Amino acid sequence: MTAIRTQGLTKRYGAIVALRGLDLEVAEGEVVGYLGPNGAGKTTTIRCLLGLARATSGRAEIFGVDAQARPSVAHRRVAYVPGEANLWPDLTGAEALHLLGRVQGAADTAYRDELVERFQLDPSKKVRAYSKGNRQKVLLVAALGSRADLLVLDEPTTGLDPLMEQVFRESVGDARARGQAVFLSSHILSEVEALSDRVAILRAGELVEVGTLADMRHLSALSIEATFDAAPPDLSRVPGVTGLVVQGHDLRCQVVGSVEPLLGVLAASGVHQLLSREPSLEELFLAHYGESGSTREPSHA
Amino acid sequence: MPDVETGFGVWVVGRRTARRAVRSAVVWGVLFGALVANEALSYHSGFPDTASRERFAATMGDNRGLTAVTGPARSLDTLGGFVAWRMMSLMLVAGAIWGFLTATRLMRGEEDAGRWDLLLAGRTSRRHAAGQAVWGLACAWSVLWALTATGTVIAGLQPSVGFSVADSLFYATAGVAGAAMFLAVGALTSQLGANRRQANALAAVVFCISWLLRMLADGQVLPGWVRWTTPLGWIENLAPLTDPQPWALLPIALLTGGAGWCAIGLAGRRDVGQGVLTGSSVPPSRTRLLNAPGGLAVRLERWPALAWVLGLGALGFVFGLVARAAAEGNFGDSSVGQVVNRDGGHVSLGAAWLGYEFLYLAAILAFAAAGQIAALRAEEYDGHLDHLIARPVSRRSWLVGRLVLGLGLVAMAGMSIGLGGWLGAGGRGGLDALDLLQAAVNVAIPGLVVLGLGAALYGVAPRLAVPLLYGFVLWSFLVEILAGTLHARWLVHTSVLDLLGPVPATGLDGQAVTGLLVLAAVAALVGFAAFDRRDLATA
């Protein structure tokens, strides 16, 4: 059974289309990273999934339950961490954890206590006295400690220091090892790269890429750096070569598809040193948005 | 590089504070102005002859218990004395509470929410930002004064009233002097408390001690000079419309200026987010109520709800005292009784007074009910609701839980009013327990209607729900008190208070009560349906 399935999920705010026909699946026990620039529709997706926003059309299921029609049933197996840790300021951390655990209906209190230790959270303080990072820790401990079958995390490490971010990664790893599914929306590409089995990339409300990182890299341009004994050859007519940059005897380019024609030209041109590299997630991400990371509206938007 | 002290940024704080404070100042200013005008203009119909005025003055003026609660009655057989006695205690109490709640909301509340940090990151300093906030509060007070003065002057210029403009302005100044002092007190406690709640508690303690000392002095339990030790006593010493004492403004001005100055000074000396009196951020954990959304709502709202119930019960008691005094003094048989019992039937004098006064309490209770809708809207706006709805909690069950809590508040406050009235009346004046039980139900009905309509507005238009609801309650109240002077009856019927009779002067109108309850229930159902279908809207 899939943890999350959306079919044609669309959300409009007046004339603005925030989400357009989203088809997405997250399998049980899978960690899916959800990427996109600000305003791409990531949080809208999550709010539609959780019934916090009503979809204009389409369907969203959580473990086979219609999340729009029967949200409270669907939420029995879900724990959610929003990006804004706006808890009740007059509750203490312990009170907030108790409340969220009770409302969730299930909490592994021993594991929750362990998480409190791991995240170095002092639960005796009032929420109003917490820093932003500590408030985020309360929500992370509540969600992870629920042992829910699906964790929906919307930029969950906002405000965490690098040490705590490492604890978060370990905790998500533990959750995956226990068979929990994780839907992770984040701007921290290294985090997504480290944790995710698959990555979904959203642009202007549309899913433009989804798959494993290996698949994406395979289908994406390969970065080539070559050094020649003499002037580099003209590669502009070699099939698949783009982004050609020549500096003295050094050459950089990307190649899409078969590298055989390129290798033939390079071998015949006295190449001194050759380095090929798969694109990082950051490069894949930027390839969809341009160097500025800005969103390009689809032509039919 | 612009100078920090004169830079543009610092005025942003002042303007922002003023803009937000003026909204509620307008509401209270209109209310005070309209109430004063109404009391002044209706005096001659209520007390048409000298005999009735003298009877009234003799009874009320000699009643120590009543004087302890409402303040000293001076020249009650004159229009000025009557208006001063009727309105001053209400204005000073409402003004003082508005004052400190507004100041702590806009100073300490902004700090608690983290918005103060953003403002301080601009071209200003802690001290100057606090100074501008105090300036903003002063602007709001000026609006409150101007509107109260406008209502008083307009009424005073009528031939039947005849107050001089100077007397009217002095009366308005005295009426809102409590607001000025407690705006400053609230600004000061905002620096002292560790958070807004503590700041409110400190200001409330100041208010309660001040009120208690004044009450004991007025009730002749303590010597009269004790009145000079309390800010509320200073206001009484102004004696507007009877024996004006402008020099008594001096301690009021000193307290207001001094507290404001101290607030600004302390703001410059302490860390943002900390109070001068540091509270414990590590309180004992209490999870007894935190097992479900309903318990959470009780935990969050219990103290404000208790304050409403006790406060309205106390007012019910005071009005019961008035009704008893009215009945024992045998005045008003040709006035209030006629006003209340428009159909010409005969009612007891105590019941007539109580029926008339309880309409005020019904309006206040309706405000409390609107506050419940505001609280649940705040839960959504602040993003707290997301944490519940993203878990196995249905929207409908959450909303039902919150409305049941509101219903409980309205019912308890209604009962508290009835009980207070019964205790105050002490079984005199033809008022028995059954009469006051009916009155308790009667005063609760507008609150229930407001809850129902509020649920509908909240479901359909959450961003507009709170201002529309408060506006509706205010409109109802104004229309009701001006009903006697309005010729357009359809306008009067737009008031939620109009459909109910002045119980216990009249019997409970079963048909009207049923109709209003059905309206409330239908509106609530509309609210449930709309809330179920819309997006949650956070900040």
Side-chain angles (χ1 to χ4, degrees):
Chain A
M1 183 179 285
T2 52
I4 294 174
R5 173 182 288 130
T6 68
Q7 292 174 316
L9 193 66
T10 299
K11 177 65 182 175
R12 291 175 185 273
Y13 294 102
I16 298 168
V17 184
L19 204 58
R20 187 191 304 275
L22 181 74
D23 295 320
L24 182 69
E25 287 195 7
V26 177
E28 278 186 285
E30 184 183 30
V31 179
V32 171
Y34 200 44
L35 297 175
N38 296 332
K42 301 188 300 296
T43 298
T44 301
T45 306
I46 288 173
R47 291 185 75 79
C48 286
L49 263 179
L50 295 173
L52 302 175
R54 296 302 191 199
T56 308
S57 62
R59 186 175 172 85
E61 290 178 3
I62 293 176
F63 292 109
V65 177
D66 187 335
Q68 291 275 312
R70 301 169 66 205
S72 55
V73 176
H75 295 171
R76 287 177 190 159
R77 299 176 68 181
V78 181
Y80 166 57
V81 176
E84 290 291 328
N86 36 20
L87 286 159
W88 298 269
D90 288 324
L91 300 188
T92 64
E95 288 170 343
L97 287 172
H98 175 88
L99 171 72
L100 295 175
R102 286 302 183 104
V103 174
Q104 184 74 52
D108 181 338
T109 51
Y111 183 54
R112 194 172 67 190
D113 292 344
E114 183 188 326
L115 287 167
V116 167
E117 291 293 322
R118 275 205 223 173
F119 278 100
Q120 298 172 19
L121 175 70
D122 177 0
S124 64
K125 284 187 174 177
K126 280 200 172 189
V127 166
R128 74 166 72 251
Y130 280 142
S131 65
K132 182 178 173 62
N134 278 326
R135 290 201 300 272
Q136 198 69 25
K137 287 180 191 174
V138 173
L139 290 170
L140 283 169
V141 169
L144 293 163
S146 72
R147 304 267 202 195
D149 294 326
L150 170 63
L151 300 173
V152 177
L153 312 176
D154 190 1
E155 300 181 24
T157 55
T158 309
L160 293 191
D161 63 44
L163 291 175
M164 289 302 115
E165 196 177 319
Q166 192 57 42
V167 173
F168 165 75
R169 291 186 189 192
E170 289 165 10
S171 302
V172 170
D174 291 348
R176 177 167 51 184
R178 280 194 301 272
Q180 292 170 263
V182 181
F183 188 59
L184 171 64
S185 166
S186 176
H187 279 127
I188 303 173
L189 300 178
S190 60
E191 182 177 278
V192 173
E193 195 162 19
L195 292 172
S196 304
D197 300 313
R198 286 194 303 143
V199 172
I201 298 179
L202 198 65
R203 189 182 74 189
E206 285 187 295
L207 201 58
V208 292
E209 192 78 70
V210 62
T212 64
L213 278 171
D215 288 343
M216 285 191 189
R217 284 169 175 146
H218 180 69
L219 295 171
S220 300
L222 196 65
S223 291
I224 302 285
E225 292 177 20
T227 305
F228 297 86
D229 294 328
D234 179 12
L235 300 181
S236 59
R237 293 180 184 169
V238 177
V241 171
T242 59
L244 196 60
V245 178
V246 177
Q247 286 181 322
H249 291 186
D250 297 330
L251 174 148
R252 281 188 288 125
C253 67
Q254 283 83 46
V255 58
V256 180
S258 173
V259 293
E260 205 171 332
L262 175 65
L263 288 177
V265 175
L266 294 178
S269 307
V271 64
H272 174 69
Q273 189 176 23
L274 181 66
L275 184 68
S276 71
R277 185 172 55 78
E278 287 185 322
S280 67
L281 179 57
E282 187 173 350
E283 286 166 326
L284 289 172
F285 183 79
L286 291 175
H288 284 290
Y289 298 104
E291 287 296 321
S292 66
S294 61
T295 306
R296 290 193 302 258
E297 288 291 325
S299 57
H300 55 282
Chain B
M1 187 78 176
D3 182 69
V4 165
E5 297 185 13
T6 57
F8 177 77
V10 73
W11 287 99
V12 173
V13 180
R15 284 205 310 266
R16 188 169 186 276
T17 306
R19 194 168 58 240
R20 297 183 65 194
V22 159
R23 291 175 197 158
S24 55
V26 167
V27 171
W28 284 105
V30 169
L31 198 59
F32 286 171
L35 281 171
V36 171
N38 181 57
E39 291 296 338
L41 294 170
S42 62
Y43 176 73
H44 289 293
S45 62
F47 301 94
D49 52 50
T50 308
S52 65
R53 292 170 200 169
E54 285 176 351
R55 254 200 326 272
F56 176 78
T59 307
M60 293 302 185
D62 293 342
N63 190 319
R64 275 169 56 178
L66 192 59
T67 301
V69 175
T70 61
R74 302 183 179 98
S75 308
L76 264 188
D77 54 346
T78 66
L79 172 57
F82 175 77
V83 172
W85 177 77
R86 283 279 294 172
M87 289 305 302
M88 280 300 289
S89 59
L90 172 69
M91 287 201 293
L92 75 87
V93 169
I97 293 173
W98 169 80
F100 75 73
L101 288 178
T102 300
T104 55
R105 176 170 62 91
L106 295 178
M107 293 187 76
R108 194 66 209 202
E110 289 295 284
E111 201 170 318
D112 290 351
R115 289 186 284 269
W116 202 243
D117 290 13
L118 295 174
L119 296 171
L120 289 177
R123 291 186 307 208
T124 186
S125 65
R126 294 192 301 269
R127 186 167 161 272
H128 287 94
Q132 288 303 307
V134 168
W135 174 83
L137 295 175
C139 289
W141 180 83
S142 303
V143 170
L144 178 72
W145 175 84
L147 291 169
T148 307
T150 302
T152 312
V153 168
I154 289 173
L157 291 175
Q158 305 306 308
S160 62
V161 178
F163 298 155
S164 71
V165 172
D167 279 348
S168 295
L169 294 178
F170 186 68
Y171 176 77
T173 306
V176 298
M181 284 191 287
F182 278 88
L183 276 169
V185 167
L188 179 59
T189 60
S190 293
Q191 314 308 318
L192 299 176
N195 53 53
R196 183 182 168 195
R197 179 167 290 190
Q198 271 192 18
N200 274 334
L202 287 169
V205 165
V206 173
F207 175 78
C208 288
I209 291 173
S210 184
W211 174 264
L212 190 66
L213 287 173
R214 183 210 61 78
M215 197 170 80
L216 293 175
D218 285 340
Q220 298 173 31
V221 177
L222 293 176
W225 59 263
V226 172
R227 205 179 291 133
W228 283 103
T229 65
T230 156
L232 300 185
W234 301 338
I235 297 173
E236 285 182 357
N237 289 333
L238 292 169
L241 299 179
T242 53
D243 180 23
Q245 304 292 330
W247 54 269
L249 283 171
L250 186 65
I252 294 171
L254 285 175
L255 174 67
T256 306
W261 182 79
C262 286
I264 295 166
L266 288 173
R269 289 165 180 259
R270 68 178 177 86
D271 294 340
V272 174
Q274 303 291 316
V276 173
L277 310 173
T278 51
S280 170
S281 63
V282 190
S285 196
R286 296 188 183 89
T287 56
R288 192 163 52 88
L289 291 169
L290 300 176
N291 296 316
L296 172 68
V298 172
R299 162 82 180 253
L300 296 174
E301 298 297 326
R302 57 187 169 167
W303 296 120
L306 189 64
W308 276 115
V309 170
L310 293 179
L312 285 168
L315 282 174
F317 178 76
V318 171
F319 289 165
L321 278 178
V322 175
R324 177 180 175 172
E328 289 174 351
N330 194 34
F331 58 80
D333 48 341
S334 61
S335 53
V336 177
Q338 286 175 358
V339 170
V340 171
N341 197 8
R342 291 166 189 155
D343 298 331
H346 184 71
V347 296
S348 75
L349 293 173
W353 269 86
L354 215 51
Y356 178 68
E357 302 286 6
F358 270 14
L359 284 176
Y360 286 81
L361 297 190
I364 296 172
L365 185 47
F367 271 109
Q372 287 297 302
I373 300 297
L376 62 92
R377 166 65 185 139
E379 278 287 279
E380 179 183 346
Y381 184 76
D382 293 340
H384 300 156
L385 183 56
D386 283 6
H387 299 300
L388 302 177
I389 301 298
R391 290 179 165 77
V393 175
S394 74
R395 292 176 181 223
R396 196 165 295 186
S397 68
W398 175 79
L399 186 55
V400 166
R402 291 302 302 241
L403 289 180
V404 166
L405 181 70
L407 194 147
L409 164 65
V410 170
M412 282 195 294
M415 288 300 148
S416 178
I417 290 169
L419 181 64
W422 181 67
L423 291 173
R428 309 286 179 82
L431 292 164
D432 60 24
L434 186 61
D435 288 333
L436 286 158
L437 182 64
Q438 287 190 30
V441 172
N442 199 57
V443 294
I445 298 298
L448 298 178
V449 173
V450 165
L451 276 180
L453 292 177
L457 286 168
Y458 173 66
V460 174
R463 287 187 172 84
L464 296 174
V466 174
L468 284 178
L469 202 57
Y470 276 121
F472 173 64
V473 175
L474 182 63
W475 169 259
S476 295
F477 186 50
L478 288 175
V479 163
E480 191 60 25
I481 63 173
L482 299 174
T485 57
L486 291 174
H487 297 297
R489 296 310 299 169
W490 65 268
L491 208 58
V492 179
H493 294 327
T494 59
S495 164
V496 70
L497 302 170
D498 181 63
L499 296 172
L500 296 167
V503 181
T506 63
L508 196 62
D509 184 344
Q511 203 174 355
V513 168
T514 306
L516 288 171
L517 288 179
V518 168
L519 171 69
V522 170
L525 290 174
V526 169
F528 292 144
F531 181 57
D532 229 17
R533 285 170 173 75
R534 71 168 170 83
D535 298 341
L536 295 189
T538 55

